[in-house]
């Protein structure tokens, strides 16, 4: 309210003192100036001033009478000109220097020591391991297998898949894109010439990027380089990440790489708008890749709100509240669509290509989840069953340290990490029993990998807290840290060697899931479609409609994979498939052409059906015979993807782009909120200075300690002074934090050039 009144007075004074000819120009500039100053408030990390700015502009704009009265009173009175008052005014630069001089010069943190502290060596070692493990990937243009699929060939196609409208898969599926499609588009934009190549690079760099993220996450809990290195190694060798890399689950890989940065920025979001802005953007990416993590992260967010209200007070609450705003806006179209269709639970469905889970829900699987493994640890392929039943326990030292953190570590961060770990583990245990999606006739349960990444992150950070609390002598930190690294390396050996042994699910793929002939025709856009028929082992036929040159990774939609019942488009597709196979005559091909279908593909027709699939072979032969007999289909030939026919009828109704107006409105709203978050995330000189005055480590206790004040190297007055060690200044003496005290509990304060203790 005070800021609004101050800005109102300022604008009123501007109109009152302006020359008569300039008053209309000043009045017209009120709202444009409010827009510019709002952007400046975001960049300056003062979003609370935005409402005051608009309120003041609106108030002054509707009060021309008050401005006129002020102008008359100014003319009636003798007043000094602004030129006469200018020498008496303080400039903005002088005021800024004056305020900077009033702030204590001490800083609350030291250097990161990324290179000297071993962080660079951890990342480099992870890169070497990754290159050795995924050596063959370096020559692959496209990665396939598991839940992987090619990307669109152009940036326009990538972002078209991420927009509202007609989905690129299905007969007539219309609605919002999964937010994961925007993540895929952003990833593909990093390699515009060949977007699919970006996934290959991501796979090779996943281990070093994970090590980097784990190292930085540990900086919030310890300033010891050895312990940060332990965290980096533990996060890079997380079972959930290794399983996702060898089984081909891009959603889990990306979520795993983003989670440590969410922790790194989120735990200090209450301190600054820059951290809150970055954390809010990372949160969008994490939940876009793993919507099933939303309940667990919402619980952690509520705990953060409670702790901020109880401890930090003030503007920190608004910053923590902001963390959920971009995610809510980005997911709002999909949430609204699901609520209207009465299928709210489908919001939890894993995005991307549907991929089943064969792990089961028995007690053994749940015990593996408790140890951080989404499936087996892989030792069954390298050892006997009797040995592999116990190999998951190799990671036990890490969990022992994590359990000790609330006892020997700092209480507040240890408890917060315990809540986070329980939220992640609970989500993983519940996920394996929840099925909200399907792949043709198979129900697909939620994959627990992303939830286990959240669980593993909390466990790793809790173990770092415990190690940090151990005494320096004897060297328990080095012993236990080395033990953790060795045991995790042994546990990760089967996964890291799987690509070399040929047991990984990832394979080299092509740039399209369709034949090259269709791919070449479809690169011009999504105007025509391919009607794909795939015989199954039980004698049925799975039908899909693919628009454009490929069934892309970003084009996947949970609107199709997670729905309660078939929609009218599914019924039309099934009816047309039955007519194509059972009736060589009829107008079914004309109906397909009228909808924009230009090709018919019989997958598996070239003899690549698995051995023993008699029912599938019989159905394939029947369908091939029926399609060959049609006069309105022209045989293109056998391809690596199956047998292809081209529809000779004119495609009279090419597919449009859907509701363009709705797409633009939704896109602008989502892009606008992300832009606001980016503006908040950009650091300023003031925000960087404020950050340097705060300790990097969170949860440092405020304890009483003894400090020895030293002036010019000489103890003060021959006596020891006592002060409260609180990480702030009292009078002219800077009081050291507990981590800055020497072994005997004393800290030296050096005198600054002005004579005060610094």
């Amino acid at each position: 309210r005070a800021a609004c009144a101050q800005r109102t007075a300022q604008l009123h004074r501007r109109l009152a003192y302006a020359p008569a000819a300039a008053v209309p120009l000043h009045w017209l500039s009120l709202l444009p100036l409010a827009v510019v100053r709002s952007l400046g408030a975001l960049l300056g990390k003062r979003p609370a001033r935005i409402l005051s700015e608009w309120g003041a502009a609106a108030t002054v704009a509707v009060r021309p009478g008050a401005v006129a009265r002020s102008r008359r009173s100014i003319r009636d009175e003798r007043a000094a000109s602004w030129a006469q008052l200018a020498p008496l005014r303080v400039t903005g630069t002088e005021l800024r220097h004056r305020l900077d001089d009033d702030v204590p010069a001490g800083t609350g943190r030291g250097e990161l020591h990324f290179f000297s502290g071993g962080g660079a060596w951890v990342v480099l070692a992870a890169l070497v391991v990754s290159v050795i493990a995924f050596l063959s990937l370096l020559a692959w243009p496209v990665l396939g297998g598991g839940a992987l699929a090619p990307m669109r060939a152009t940036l326009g196609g990538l972002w078209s898949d991420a927009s509202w409208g007609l989905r690129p898969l299905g007969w007539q599926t219309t609605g919002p894109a999964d937010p994961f499609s925007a993540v895929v588009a952003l990833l593909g934009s990093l390699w515009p010439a060949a977007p699919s190549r970006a996934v290959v690079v991501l796979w090779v760099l996943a281990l070093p990027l994970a090590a980097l993220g784990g190292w930085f996450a540990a900086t919030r809990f310890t300033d010891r380089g050895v312990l940060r290195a332990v965290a980096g190694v533990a996060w890079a060798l997380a079972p959930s990440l290794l399983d996702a890399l060898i089984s081909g689950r891009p959603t889990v890989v990306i979520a795993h790489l983003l989670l440590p940065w969410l922790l790194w920025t989120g735990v200090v979001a209450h301190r600054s708008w820059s951290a809150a802005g970055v954390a809010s953007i990372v949160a969008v990416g994490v939940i876009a890749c793993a919507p099933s993590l939303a309940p667990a992260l919402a619980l952690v967010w509520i705990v953060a709100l409670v702790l901020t209200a109880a401890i930090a007070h003030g503007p920190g609450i608004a910053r923590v509240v902001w963390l959920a705003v971009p995610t809510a806006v980005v997911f709002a179209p999909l949430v609204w669509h699901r609520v209207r269709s009465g299928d709210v639970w489908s919001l939890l469905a894993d995005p991307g290509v549907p991929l089943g889970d064969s792990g089961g829900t028995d007690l053994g699987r749940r015990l593996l989840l408790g140890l951080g493994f989404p499936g087996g640890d892989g030792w069954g392929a390298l050892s006997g069953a009797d040995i592999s039943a116990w190999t998951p326990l190799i990671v036990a030292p890490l969990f022992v340290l994590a359990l000790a953190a609330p006892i020997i570590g700092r209480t507040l961060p240890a408890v917060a990490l315990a809540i986070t770990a329980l939220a992640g583990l609970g989500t993983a245990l519940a996920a394996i029993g929840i099925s909200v999606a399907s792949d043709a006739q198979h129900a697909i349960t939620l994959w627990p990998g992303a939830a286990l990444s959240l669980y593993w992150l909390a466990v790793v950070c809790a173990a770092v807290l415990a190690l940090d609390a151990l005494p320096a002598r004897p060297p328990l930190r080095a012993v236990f840290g080395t033990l953790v690294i060795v045991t995790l390396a042994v546990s990760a050996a089967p996964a890291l060697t799987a690509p070399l042994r040929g047991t990984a699910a990832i394979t080299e793929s092509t740039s399209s899931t369709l034949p090259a002939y269709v791919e070449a025709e479809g690169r011009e856009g999504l105007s025509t479609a391919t009607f794909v028929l795939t015989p199954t082992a039980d004698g049925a036929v799975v039908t899909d409609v693919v628009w454009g040159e490929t069934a892309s990774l970003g084009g996947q939609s949970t609107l199709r994979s997670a729905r309660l019942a078939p929609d009218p488009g599914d019924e039309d597709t099934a009816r047309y498939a039955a007519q194509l196979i059972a009736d060589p005559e009829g107008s079914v091909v004309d109906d397909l052409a009228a909808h924009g279908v230009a090709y018919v593909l019989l997958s598996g027709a070239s003899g690549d059906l698995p051995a023993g699939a008699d029912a599938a072979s019989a159905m394939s032969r029947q369908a091939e015979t029926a399609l060959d007999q049609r006069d309105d289909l022209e045989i293109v030939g056998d391809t690596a993807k199956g047998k292809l026919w081209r529809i000779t009828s004119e495609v009279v109704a090419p597919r449009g782009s859907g509701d363009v107006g709705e797409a633009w409105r939704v896109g602008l709203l989502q892009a606008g909120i992300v832009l606001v978050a980016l503006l908040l995330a950009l650091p300023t000189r003031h925000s960087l200075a404020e950050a340097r005055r705060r300790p990097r480590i969170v949860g440092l206790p405020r304890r009483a300690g003894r400090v020895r004040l030293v002036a010019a190297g000489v103890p003060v007055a021959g006596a020891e002074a006592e002060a409260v060690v609180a990480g702030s200044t009292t009078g002219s003496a800077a009081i050291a934090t507990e981590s800055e005290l020497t072994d005997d509990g004393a800290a030296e304060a050096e005198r600054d050039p002005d004579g005060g203790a610094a």
Side-chain angles (χ1 to χ4, degrees):
R1 184 175 301 176
C4 182
Q6 181 181 5
R7 181 58 179 165
T8 301
Q10 184 182 18
L11 294 175
H12 178 87
R13 185 176 67 248
R14 179 176 300 169
L15 292 176
Y17 281 91
V23 171
L25 297 178
H26 281 303
W27 186 86
L28 291 174
S29 69
L30 288 176
L31 294 183
L33 186 61
V35 174
V36 175
R37 288 178 62 89
S38 296
L39 294 177
L42 291 175
L43 289 172
K45 310 302 174 288
R46 297 179 178 90
R49 295 188 177 183
I50 295 177
L51 292 179
S52 301
E53 184 67 37
W54 284 93
T59 300
V60 175
V62 299
R63 293 197 313 186
V67 174
R69 289 191 298 269
S70 297
R71 293 182 64 84
R72 283 196 302 268
S73 63
I74 292 172
R75 281 199 309 269
D76 296 339
E77 299 176 359
R78 295 188 60 181
S81 65
W82 285 113
Q84 293 174 306
L85 296 177
L88 304 178
R89 302 177 67 188
V90 178
T91 65
T93 303
E94 292 173 340
L95 180 61
R96 195 159 49 244
H97 289 167
R98 178 71 58 84
L99 294 176
D100 288 344
D101 291 340
D102 292 339
V103 177
T107 62
R109 63 179 62 181
E111 297 295 332
L112 266 175
H113 299 295
F114 176 71
F115 292 94
S116 61
W121 290 107
V122 171
V123 174
L124 181 60
L127 177 61
V128 172
V129 172
S130 180
V131 170
I132 295 175
F134 300 105
L135 183 61
S136 57
L137 270 67
L138 299 177
W140 294 355
V142 182
L143 200 59
L148 291 163
M151 289 189 184
R152 296 286 181 196
T154 62
L155 295 183
L158 285 173
W159 290 103
S160 175
D161 286 349
S163 62
W164 175 294
L166 292 167
R167 309 317 312 145
L169 296 176
W171 182 257
Q172 192 73 9
T173 305
T174 305
D178 293 333
F180 176 67
S181 297
V183 177
V184 172
L186 185 61
L187 177 63
S189 300
L190 299 178
W191 200 297
S196 294
R197 185 72 177 177
V199 178
V200 180
V201 176
L202 174 67
W203 240 248
V204 176
L205 296 182
L207 289 181
L209 289 177
L212 180 66
W215 191 91
F216 268 90
T219 61
R220 295 301 183 191
F221 302 98
T222 181
D223 57 357
R224 294 181 171 87
V226 173
L227 303 188
R228 294 175 179 179
V230 171
V233 173
W235 187 243
L237 299 181
S240 56
L241 174 62
L242 298 179
D243 178 271
L245 289 174
I246 64 174
S247 63
R249 295 184 181 271
T251 55
V252 179
V253 172
I254 299 174
H256 187 92
L257 296 180
L258 292 178
L259 276 173
W261 299 106
L262 179 59
L263 181 145
W264 189 66
T265 55
V267 295
V268 293
H270 64 282
R271 297 180 180 177
S272 73
W273 279 107
S274 292
V278 176
S280 65
I281 296 174
V282 177
V284 173
V286 170
I287 300 180
C289 296
S292 58
L293 275 182
L297 292 179
L299 175 61
V300 176
W301 176 68
I302 293 173
V303 172
L305 277 176
V306 173
L307 291 177
T308 303
I311 300 175
H313 307 291
I317 298 178
R319 294 167 185 151
V320 177
V321 169
W322 170 260
L323 297 180
V325 173
T327 301
V329 173
V330 169
F331 273 85
L334 189 61
V335 171
W336 176 246
H337 189 280
R338 289 301 192 183
V339 170
R340 292 179 59 190
S341 63
D343 194 10
V344 179
W345 285 105
S346 295
L347 290 169
L348 299 176
D350 295 325
V353 179
L355 184 61
D357 175 16
S358 59
T361 59
D362 56 353
L363 179 60
R365 175 75 183 285
R366 296 183 183 276
L367 291 176
L368 284 174
L369 294 179
L371 292 172
F373 294 93
D377 62 351
W379 273 100
L382 301 179
S383 63
D386 295 337
I387 297 177
S388 62
W390 298 97
T391 50
L393 294 176
I394 295 176
V395 300
L398 179 68
F399 287 87
V400 171
L401 288 170
L403 292 173
I407 302 174
I408 65 176
R410 298 190 295 275
T411 303
L412 186 59
V415 171
L417 290 173
I419 295 174
T420 304
L422 291 175
L425 180 59
T427 301
L429 293 173
I432 60 175
I434 298 177
S435 176
V436 293
S438 62
D439 180 17
Q441 70 271 37
H442 302 293
I444 297 178
T445 59
L446 298 178
W447 182 248
L452 289 181
S453 290
L454 178 63
Y455 171 56
W456 190 267
L457 178 62
V459 168
V460 169
C461 293
V464 168
L465 277 178
L467 289 172
D468 191 59
L470 293 176
R473 294 182 179 84
L476 296 179
R477 294 194 197 104
V479 172
F480 282 106
T482 303
L483 179 62
V484 168
I485 292 177
V486 171
T487 53
L488 291 179
V490 173
S491 176
L496 293 176
T497 58
L500 301 176
R501 292 183 286 112
T503 58
I506 53 175
T507 60
E508 183 180 5
S509 183
T510 57
S511 58
S512 176
T513 59
L514 300 176
Y517 182 86
V518 179
E519 180 186 6
E521 294 289 333
R523 284 181 181 270
E524 298 180 358
L526 299 176
S527 58
T528 60
T530 303
F531 200 79
V532 183
L533 304 172
T534 305
T536 61
D538 57 357
V541 174
V542 175
T543 308
D544 202 359
V545 181
V546 180
W547 297 87
E549 78 276 14
T550 182
S552 64
L553 180 61
Q556 306 295 320
S557 175
T558 55
L559 296 181
R560 297 184 65 250
S561 62
R563 55 182 184 264
L564 293 175
D567 57 23
D570 296 328
E571 297 173 356
D572 291 341
T573 303
R575 183 175 69 255
Y576 291 142
Q579 293 176 6
L580 280 174
I581 296 174
D583 184 11
E585 305 294 336
S587 61
V588 58
V589 173
D590 293 334
D591 295 338
L592 291 176
H595 189 67
V597 177
Y599 303 95
V600 176
L601 176 65
L602 180 60
S603 180
S606 55
D608 55 352
L609 290 171
D614 297 333
S617 299
M619 178 56 67
S620 179
R621 287 192 297 270
Q622 178 184 348
E624 185 174 357
T625 301
L627 294 173
D628 283 338
Q629 293 176 358
R630 300 197 65 96
D631 295 333
D632 44 13
L633 290 178
E634 178 184 2
I635 299 177
V636 177
D638 290 329
T639 70
K641 308 295 182 181
K643 191 168 185 178
L644 181 67
W645 290 264
R646 185 178 66 86
I647 293 178
T648 57
S649 303
E650 182 181 359
V651 181
V652 296
R655 200 186 202 199
S657 57
D659 190 345
V660 178
E662 186 70 19
W664 273 104
R665 287 192 293 270
V666 173
L668 286 176
L669 176 62
Q670 294 175 327
I673 199 67
V674 173
L675 177 61
V676 171
L678 287 173
L679 291 177
L680 289 175
L682 292 176
T684 63
R685 183 184 62 86
H686 178 74
S687 65
L688 292 175
E690 286 296 323
R692 286 192 295 268
R693 296 186 181 100
R694 302 275 186 110
R696 182 178 291 109
I697 301 173
V698 297
L700 286 176
R702 297 187 176 185
R703 300 177 181 174
R706 299 174 63 86
V707 297
R708 183 186 307 137
L709 301 182
V710 179
V714 180
V716 173
E720 258 183 11
E722 293 189 7
V724 176
V725 180
S728 62
T729 59
T730 303
S732 62
I735 308 302
T737 63
E738 182 188 15
S739 62
E740 296 171 315
L741 293 176
T742 57
D743 292 339
D744 60 353
E748 293 186 352
E750 298 176 356
R751 180 174 297 277
D752 64 17
D754 296 330

